[in-house]
């Protein structure tokens, strides 16, 4: 039986790499559903190649174009955010790969969980915003989240065969991004172009900025906390510029397991699809002798304030990480539009977190309201930094 996969965000960096994985194993996987936000032409090409049952274009302005292009091909076409939530429930779907970016991933992920689908989770913002709620729903509907983020896939692989052995510490590795060795004075002047040049990974614009500011690593610590049920105090960030050790787990006897490999997202994507099996790939292999050395250093939270802000939000709990995420989405978008400087992103996030209403035990509606409030507050505070 081939696994039927729904890919939310098929036109993005993760989505297109997931389709490479599917194309390499036509005997194992079939695409049931593809979705995109704006890239109608690419979505149409993907649909013609992979012949899914259904496609969704989230931005309704492109609906007619996609419908007309696919009308002779027995592929259903829907549009709008609500359609995204409906397709994940379709009985034919086995696995939902959440590869869309940002808060928009939360609603369809919750719907997919309630429909008992296995989630291959790339959209880390879902767990940052509402990790507590999402984990409760996973338990309630007895389904599973398989991590796609390379660090979390690494931790997940280290934990194979370790049921019953508590985690003493997670060592979450970070490349350090393009500004690892820059001074604060230099970081104040970096441009959007500088920040978009990631040393080791080619990814979508939003996560590339989050990597440069290390908010990505703060998010990943929160993601790890929920995925593996460990307190933040047992998660240590370790800067490892080569991105070969994808993360490590330390056990109570002091033993440390790591998962290593060349930096290639197709590997964790495929592992989420084939778990618990491993299947052949022709991906590049790590060449350790050529690498010569692997290095590790502590992160600098004075220069990378977002990392501290993320740990502060996690310590506060409740809706604080939801506010953090919303403020960050506004800040990153402003930076990408050359409206604010690189370091001002942290100021804006800190100000928003100080001003937005705190909710200690949020439910879904509280998260929706809190996201909207924090975005509005961040947008109004933005004028201070223009
Ligand atoms: P991307 O910007 O390249 O692609 C995003 C995809 O989501 C596109 O297909 C876009 O059409 C769709 N999308 C965007 N906004 C949407 C909306 N409001 N409604 C519906 N669809 C929407 O992003 P990416 O780099 O592929 O990252 C996707 C997710 O995976 C992010 O949450 C990111 O943090 C996570 N992730 C990415 C990588 C990576 O290597 N790219 C690694 C780990 C985790
Ligand atoms: Mg990652």
């Amino acid at each position: 039986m081939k696994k039927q996969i729904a890919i939310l965000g098929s036109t993005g960096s993760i989505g297109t790499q997931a389709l490479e994985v599917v194309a390499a194993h036509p005997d194992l996987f079939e695409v049931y559903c593809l979705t995109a936000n704006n890239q109608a032409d690419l979505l149409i090409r993907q649909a013609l190649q992979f012949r899914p049952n259904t496609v969704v274009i989230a931005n309704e302005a492109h609906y007619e174009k996609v419908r007309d292009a696919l009308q002779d091909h027995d592929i259903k076409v829907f549009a709008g955010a609500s359609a995204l939530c409906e397709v994940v429930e379709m009985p034919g779907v086995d696995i939902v790969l959440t590869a869309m970016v940002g808060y928009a991933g939360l609603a369809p992920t919750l719907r997919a969980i309630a429909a008992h689908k296995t989630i291959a989770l790339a959209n880390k913002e879902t767990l940052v915003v509402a990790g507590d709620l999402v984990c409760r729903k996973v338990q309630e509907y007895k389904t599973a989240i398989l991590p796609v983020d390379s660090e979390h896939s690494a931790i997940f692989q280290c934990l194979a065969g370790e049921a019953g052995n508590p985690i003493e510490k997670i060592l979450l590795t970070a490349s350090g991004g393009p500004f690892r060795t820059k001074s604060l004075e230099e970081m104040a002047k970096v441009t959007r172009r500088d920040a978009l040049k990631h040393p080791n990974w080619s990814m979508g614009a939003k996560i590339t900025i989050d990597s440069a500011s290390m908010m990505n690593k703060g998010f990943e610590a929160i993601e790890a906390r929920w995925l593996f049920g460990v307190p933040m105090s047992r998660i240590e960030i370790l800067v490892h510029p080569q991105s070969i050790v994808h993360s490590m787990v330390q056990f109570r006897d002091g033993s440390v397991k790591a998962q290593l490999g060349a930096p290639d997202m197709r590997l964790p994507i495929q592992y989420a699809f084939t778990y618990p099996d491993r299947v052949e790939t022709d991906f590049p292999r790590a060449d350790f002798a050529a690498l010569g050395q692997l290095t590790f250093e502590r992160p600098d939270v004075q220069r990378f304030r977002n990392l501290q802000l993320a740990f502060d939000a996690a310590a506060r709990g409740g809706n604080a990480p939801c506010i953090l995420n919303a403020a960050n989405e506004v800040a990153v978008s402003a930076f990408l539009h050359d409206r604010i400087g690189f370091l001002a992103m942290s100021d804006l996030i800190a100000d928003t977190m100080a001003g937005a209403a705190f909710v200690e035990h949020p439910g879904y509606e509280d998260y929706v309201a809190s996201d909207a409030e924090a975005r509005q507050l961040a947008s109004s505070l933005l004028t201070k930094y223009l």
Side-chain angles (χ1 to χ4, degrees):
M1 283 287 280
K2 294 184 194 178
K3 286 185 183 161
Q4 300 291 327
I5 301 176
I7 302 180
L8 305 185
S10 64
T11 55
S13 162
I14 292 288
T16 51
Q17 294 181 85
L19 286 173
E20 285 180 41
V21 168
V22 170
H25 299 285
D27 50 325
L28 298 178
F29 313 121
E30 219 156 42
V31 174
Y32 196 87
C33 171
L34 294 174
T35 86
N37 199 25
N38 281 312
Q39 287 186 269
D41 291 315
L42 179 53
L43 181 66
I44 291 164
R45 283 203 301 281
Q46 292 177 337
L48 292 174
Q49 183 184 349
F50 289 93
R51 305 278 160 174
N53 176 287
T54 302
V55 305
V56 177
I57 183 85
N59 182 343
E60 295 174 33
H62 304 297
Y63 171 66
E64 265 122 47
K65 179 177 194 177
V66 179
R67 182 200 59 194
D68 293 351
L70 300 178
Q71 64 182 356
D72 297 331
H73 298 277
D74 194 26
I75 297 171
K76 297 186 201 79
V77 179
F78 300 105
S82 58
L84 281 181
C85 287
E86 282 155 26
V87 293
V88 298
E89 297 177 331
M90 293 171 92
V93 174
D94 299 315
I95 299 178
V96 176
L97 171 64
T98 65
M100 59 214 284
V101 60
Y103 171 84
L106 176 61
T109 306
L110 286 171
R111 290 281 286 268
I113 292 168
H116 304 279
K117 307 301 182 190
T118 298
I119 311 293
L121 185 127
N123 179 269
K124 63 191 86 187
E125 293 92 342
T126 288
L127 287 179
V128 172
V129 170
D132 174 53
L133 174 69
V134 171
C135 290
R136 271 190 279 121
K137 293 289 171 195
V138 166
Q139 299 249 311
E140 182 182 338
Y141 292 98
K142 299 187 175 46
T143 180
I145 296 185
L146 302 173
V148 167
D149 214 344
S150 57
E151 296 77 2
H152 305 76
S153 177
I155 296 161
F156 187 58
Q157 292 177 59
C158 292
L159 291 173
E162 300 287 355
N165 287 326
I167 296 170
E168 184 172 88
K169 198 196 258 184
I170 285 176
L171 295 152
L172 191 68
T173 53
S175 72
F179 308 140
R180 181 175 61 89
T181 58
K182 288 232 184 307
S183 66
L184 266 178
E185 294 69 38
E186 290 170 312
M187 284 165 75
K189 291 186 224 122
V190 298
T191 64
R192 164 183 192 277
R193 272 188 62 211
D194 302 325
L196 284 171
K197 279 187 222 128
H198 194 279
N200 303 340
W201 301 95
S202 159
M203 310 178 285
K206 195 255 179 185
I207 184 177
T208 305
I209 301 304
D210 285 344
S211 300
S213 72
M214 291 196 77
M215 181 59 94
N216 183 53
K217 212 45 60 176
F219 280 1
E220 290 186 353
I222 299 173
E223 182 185 10
R225 168 202 198 295
W226 294 117
L227 282 173
F228 306 110
V230 290
M232 294 293 283
S233 58
R234 290 182 186 270
I235 301 174
E236 184 178 324
I237 311 295
L238 207 49
V239 175
H240 165 51
Q242 298 82 16
S243 297
I244 296 294
V245 175
H246 297 306
S247 278
M248 310 187 245
V249 178
Q250 181 175 308
F251 295 94
R252 60 178 159 186
D253 58 356
S255 178
V256 178
K257 281 168 83 173
Q259 186 264 343
L260 296 81
D264 187 330
M265 285 308 295
R266 292 173 300 177
L267 179 57
I269 293 168
Q270 175 171 301
Y271 189 68
F273 289 172
T274 62
Y275 170 82
D277 301 326
R278 294 183 185 275
V279 300
E280 254 173 62
T281 73
D282 59 4
F283 307 155
R285 269 46 177 167
D287 180 342
F288 292 96
L291 279 161
Q293 56 178 352
L294 300 178
T295 60
F296 301 93
E297 54 197 73
R298 291 194 200 292
D300 178 353
V301 291
Q302 309 299 324
R303 283 185 304 128
F304 294 97
R305 277 176 65 207
N306 282 358
L307 198 52
Q308 189 61 53
L309 290 171
F311 274 80
D312 292 347
R316 191 147 190 233
N319 65 337
C322 172
I323 298 167
L324 172 87
N325 177 71
N328 183 58
E329 288 193 25
V330 173
V332 171
S333 168
F335 177 72
L336 280 171
H337 288 92
D338 296 321
R339 298 187 66 207
I340 61 171
F342 187 76
L343 297 178
M345 287 196 289
S346 303
D347 296 322
L348 178 63
I349 296 163
D351 279 3
T352 308
M353 287 180 64
F358 180 66
V359 182
E360 194 164 2
H361 298 292
Y364 180 70
E365 299 306 328
D366 300 305
Y367 285 121
V368 174
S370 172
D371 174 76
E373 186 206 342
R375 272 169 209 274
Q376 204 171 32
L377 180 58
S379 303
S380 63
L381 290 168
L382 196 57
T383 50
K384 255 171 73 182
Y385 302 101
L386 298 180

